[in-house]
């Protein structure tokens, strides 16, 4: 996992409502300088995969939970049991 990307995910989520979510592109924009945010997407995806494996985040699309990253997705705070 990329520490900068992980910190960006957590900071963006902290700024949202508890049930809010962020788009992966928001994370990419937060960790890049300038218009080349798309080049950061592989790093964001890998970081999100690692965070999901560690139960640090949950994924969804159109309000439906996703077990893994596949296609479009939103990142939310993991529900702790």
């Amino acid at each position: 996992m990329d520490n900068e990307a992980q910190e960006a995910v957590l900071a963006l989520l902290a700024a949202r409502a508890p049930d809010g979510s962020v788009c992966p592109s928001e994370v990419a924009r937060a960790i890049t300088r300038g218009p080349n945010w798309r080049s950061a997407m592989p790093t964001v995806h890998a970081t999100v995969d690692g965070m999901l494996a560690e139960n640090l985040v949950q994924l969804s699309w159109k309000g439906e939970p996703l077990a893994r990253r596949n296609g479009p997705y939103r990142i939310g705070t993991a529900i702790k049991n």
Side-chain angles (χ1 to χ4, degrees):
M1 276 189 292
D2 182 87
N3 286 337
E4 185 179 19
Q6 182 174 340
E7 289 173 10
V9 169
L10 297 174
L12 288 166
L13 286 172
R16 301 287 160 88
D19 61 345
S21 64
V22 297
C23 180
S25 66
E26 292 177 78
V27 179
R29 286 179 176 95
I31 64 172
T32 57
R33 314 299 178 253
N36 296 325
W37 61 268
R38 285 179 179 83
S39 66
M41 290 303 294
T43 298
V44 172
H45 294 317
T47 298
V48 167
D49 289 344
M51 292 177 77
L52 184 62
E54 292 182 14
N55 199 34
L56 298 174
V57 295
Q58 62 183 0
L59 305 182
S60 65
W61 183 245
K62 296 189 178 185
E64 296 297 319
L66 298 175
R68 62 184 174 85
R69 183 178 58 80
N70 183 21
Y73 66 98
R74 302 277 302 175
I75 309 160
T77 303
I79 298 171
K80 304 289 183 183
N81 294 328

